[in-house]
Amino acid sequence: MTVTARAHTNIALIKYWGKSDPQLIIPANSSISMTLDQFYTDTSVDFDPQLTADSFSLDGQEQSGAALQKLSKFMDLVRQRAGHNTFARITSTNHVPTAAGLASSASAYAALALAATRAAGLQLSNKDLTRIARRGSGSASRSIDGGYVIWHRGTDDATSFAEPLPVAPDLDLRMLAVVLDHQPKKLSSRSGMANTVATSPYFPAWAKSSEVAAAAMQAALLAGDFDQIGRLAERSAMMMHATNMAAEPPFTYFNPETLATLDYVHALRDQGMPVYATIDAGPNVKLICPAVNAEDLADLFRQRLGKPVVICAPGPAARVLTTAEMEANAHA
Ligand code: 2P0
């Protein structure tokens, strides 16, 4: 039986950057994210006794080599849990607005975790799903639930899981993706963070201060304190990028347009606009603002930079698609 699941991507307000256990993907610090309504991955899984290996098609392209190997290793975890050795046919489609440059392993492994476990006959709790998704990609643990999510650092496989966070009922934020560049990143998150953990003297300070920042962010979300949320988020991103600049060899994901965009964020804030920035493992900048300011800010950044800006609201949890939705997808 084929099961199709949809998971939305997420952007961290308090970043995950560095592992204490690379095998189990236990992070060095807890992280907090917002799930985005605009970007998601649909993944179908069909276990078939006729197959002699897993197969994986991504956006209509049959995958082989490292991409297939990584996925197959993840499927072994599901097979182990389900107690069988059947291979699967996996088909995945990323739904990301044209050239948004936000393709993410978060939505991919969250959708796969849900589709694969259900297709294998398992009915896992969301908490256990986040633990399985985490083994594919750390940030995927935060794409099982919707809205605002915390991934608890934990100390082992059982205690490193994600769950939704309570927030003030009137909190209404938007995340604006400013698409400066949609080329694949030069250095993967996995290698970038491993290099920083191994060589950056700032790394221990990063991990320690992130734990404090995660606690402060939980309080700010609960209080609906926009300025505090924005300030903590922007600082978390800057601290993450500072650890990279202090690595050996030093590296950065920023490009000149990243800095120009940051400069504009600061100038607007000086003029009283409620806007903060966050940056992940690439040059694109995401803006955090109250919903009422989103359209005006998107226009300002489009005019200033001549680049696309996508407005995202908090997105839903991962879910299994109905047969009717799967058929509609197949004919789209
Ligand atoms: C985050 N990023 O918290 C941080 C901020 C990128 C910058 O999680 O090695 O693809 O698969 O666990 O999850 C990207 O890292 O890395 C990431 P792995 P992942 O969103």
Side-chain angles (χ1 to χ4, degrees):
M1 186 190 67
T2 303
V3 175
T4 303
R6 173 172 297 175
H8 289 248
T9 195
N10 72 77
I11 297 293
L13 300 170
I14 299 296
K15 303 297 184 191
Y16 146 55
W17 198 249
K19 300 173 176 76
S20 63
D21 182 337
Q23 199 59 40
L24 290 173
I25 312 202
I26 310 296
N29 65 275
S30 302
S31 55
I32 294 176
S33 58
M34 180 174 136
T35 308
L36 304 187
D37 64 342
Q38 295 292 313
F39 309 112
Y40 59 92
T41 301
D42 285 346
T43 296
S44 301
V45 176
D46 178 22
F47 286 99
D48 182 349
Q50 307 289 322
L51 295 174
T52 53
D54 292 320
S55 75
F56 174 37
S57 153
L58 176 61
D59 294 332
Q61 299 267 343
E62 208 51 44
Q63 305 291 307
S64 57
L68 179 60
Q69 251 177 23
K70 188 180 171 203
L71 194 110
S72 230
K73 225 180 105 190
F74 179 83
M75 292 302 288
D76 288 343
L77 291 174
V78 177
R79 280 187 277 266
Q80 206 176 39
R81 179 121 191 183
H84 68 67
N85 289 314
T86 311
F87 292 111
R89 199 175 291 109
I90 299 150
T91 313
S92 206
T93 315
N94 280 319
H95 294 264
V96 177
T98 316
L102 288 176
S104 162
S105 56
S107 53
Y109 274 99
L112 180 62
L114 178 56
T117 53
R118 286 290 177 87
L122 297 166
Q123 286 280 348
L124 302 185
S125 65
N126 267 24
K127 178 179 169 181
D128 283 348
L129 275 173
T130 72
R131 291 173 47 228
I132 288 244
R134 189 198 78 227
R135 302 287 292 274
S137 195
S139 53
S141 65
R142 300 189 311 239
S143 274
I144 295 294
D145 295 296
Y148 298 85
V149 174
I150 183 164
W151 172 18
H152 300 284
R153 170 183 59 163
T155 50
D156 57 16
D157 180 47
T159 53
S160 189
F161 67 93
E163 63 179 346
L165 275 178
V167 303
D170 59 348
L171 183 71
D172 198 11
L173 299 187
R174 292 294 178 270
M175 186 84 72
L176 275 51
V178 182
V179 186
L180 300 172
D181 184 348
H182 56 271
Q183 299 302 316
K185 54 191 148 198
K186 286 185 213 97
L187 180 64
S188 74
S189 296
R190 194 160 287 191
S191 328
M193 67 175 89
N195 181 29
T196 293
V197 173
T199 67
S200 178
Y202 292 180
F203 186 77
W206 151 260
K208 198 169 160 205
S209 57
S210 292
E211 231 26 59
V212 178
M217 180 61 86
Q218 284 185 76
L221 289 168
L222 203 53
D225 182 343
F226 170 74
D227 276 314
Q228 177 73 339
I229 293 166
R231 200 181 62 77
L232 288 165
E234 191 168 303
R235 184 143 185 258
S236 174
M238 292 306 131
M239 290 199 290
M240 173 195 128
H241 290 279
T243 63
N244 295 340
M245 291 185 203
E248 175 60 41
F251 68 98
T252 184
Y253 292 103
F254 291 1
N255 72 16
E257 285 176 311
T258 310
L259 292 173
T261 308
L262 269 182
D263 225 32
Y264 191 43
V265 169
H266 297 163
L268 287 174
R269 211 155 64 219
D270 286 347
Q271 293 165 28
M273 279 297 257
V275 57
Y276 290 86
T278 186
I279 304 163
D280 293 292
N284 296 322
V285 178
K286 291 105 193 174
L287 310 173
I288 303 156
C289 69
V292 290
N293 303 100
E295 292 289 350
D296 286 350
L297 278 165
D299 281 342
L300 283 170
F301 280 84
R302 286 183 192 118
Q303 280 161 23
R304 173 79 164 212
L305 303 163
K307 302 281 184 185
V309 177
V310 184
I311 301 176
C312 301
R319 66 184 177 92
V320 171
L321 298 187
T322 62
T323 314
E325 285 174 311
M326 281 161 62
E327 276 166 13
N329 256 7
H331 296 115

